[in-house]
Amino acid sequence: AQSVTQPDIHITVSEGASLELRCNYSYGATPYLFWYVQSPGQGLQLLLKYFSGDTLVQGIKGFEAEFKRSQSSFNLRKPSVHWSDAAEYFCAVGASRGEKLTFGTGTRLTIIP
Amino acid sequence: NAGVTQTPKFQVLKTGQSMTLQCAQDMNHEYMSWYRQDPGMGLRLIHYSVGAGITDQGEVPNGYNVSRSTTEDFPLRLLSAAPSQTSVYFCASSGGSSEQFFGPGTRLTVL
């Protein structure tokens, strides 16, 4: 069965500091990996996705993620966070067709001035 | 394109009442799904559909029914609401690339 683990429930970062959110997955075949962001009271917005090819993928809002097959990880990074990055972040894994995703439990990001 | 739309945005029910959450997409996507979001649990799949007339259960299907008579619409029915169904419900659609597009959600409270 597929699963996603986000070990950090809540992270606090100073504005301008770097960020790394962790994601580990378990999947029997080639994984399709995603990071979504959710602002309070809002829906989910796709930040980036990995299907194949280059293991470092670039997304919107200055985010990037690196796929490491040997570690079953897909960590999200940003070199310098902005106050507007405060939100909840979800890692997800799915199959090639797209009818369903398995989500992690999310990481809530707080930005302090 | 409106993308994925959901109605209503908010709903309060009493235990035992029934209702239908509506979901529609205008992207001609083959795949549609329903998730519920609860604090600390992420999103969990309720039901999904791989095309008109074809539906299947997800991780937490009990208490919910779905049907898919058209490509565009994928309603979620609660037959007899329970307080445990208090949650935020998201509908999503996908064109087959595995990327899912989400609606804005419906916040449901069952008293």
Side-chain angles (χ1 to χ4, degrees):
Chain A
Q2 59 201 57
S3 66
V4 176
T5 301
Q6 294 181 248
D8 304 305
I9 296 173
H10 185 204
I11 285 182
T12 300
V13 177
S14 298
E15 190 167 16
S18 64
L19 171 71
E20 182 169 27
L21 302 183
R22 296 182 291 165
C23 172
N24 292 96
Y25 68 90
S26 173
Y27 195 73
T30 301
Y32 287 64
L33 293 158
F34 305 85
W35 275 99
Y36 284 87
V37 61
Q38 184 181 35
S39 297
Q42 302 297 311
L44 280 80
Q45 181 183 20
L46 180 69
L47 282 177
L48 48 78
K49 59 191 177 188
Y50 173 77
F51 290 169
S52 64
D54 192 348
T55 56
L56 184 64
V57 293
Q58 302 297 319
I60 63 171
K61 305 185 180 186
F63 285 93
E64 66 178 27
E66 186 171 13
F67 171 62
K68 292 185 177 180
R69 185 184 298 276
S70 62
Q71 298 178 20
S72 297
S73 69
F74 188 56
N75 294 349
L76 182 71
R77 301 194 294 246
K78 187 169 185 178
S80 176
V81 297
H82 186 262
W83 63 266
S84 60
D85 293 324
E88 188 146 24
Y89 292 79
F90 293 95
C91 182
V93 65
S96 60
R97 293 202 310 183
E99 72 273 25
K100 52 184 177 178
L101 293 175
T102 298
F103 283 83
T105 51
T107 297
R108 185 161 61 93
L109 176 64
T110 298
I111 308 296
I112 56 176
Chain B
N1 283 356
V4 180
T5 58
Q6 293 183 238
T7 56
K9 287 188 185 295
F10 302 94
Q11 183 70 50
V12 179
L13 292 178
K14 294 181 180 178
T15 297
Q17 287 185 316
S18 63
M19 80 159 296
T20 299
L21 307 184
Q22 301 292 344
C23 173
Q25 54 93 5
D26 61 0
M27 297 175 281
N28 200 31
H29 283 171
E30 195 171 1
Y31 308 120
M32 296 186 75
S33 311
W34 275 104
Y35 297 85
R36 61 176 288 172
Q37 182 179 26
D38 303 291
M41 304 192 74
L43 280 79
R44 293 179 293 168
L45 183 67
I46 304 172
H47 285 285
Y48 65 97
S49 169
V50 299
I54 307 170
T55 64
D56 205 348
Q57 295 181 352
E59 180 186 354
V60 288
N62 292 342
Y64 307 95
N65 277 355
V66 292
S67 60
R68 183 107 179 263
S69 56
T70 67
T71 299
E72 294 77 21
D73 300 298
F74 191 42
L76 179 72
R77 297 183 187 83
L78 283 71
L79 300 179
S80 178
S84 60
Q85 294 178 304
T86 293
S87 188
V88 181
Y89 292 84
F90 288 98
C91 179
S93 74
S94 171
S97 68
S98 198
E99 176 182 347
Q100 295 203 348
F101 296 83
F102 285 83
T106 294
R107 185 173 296 272
L108 175 68
T109 302
V110 183
L111 302 175

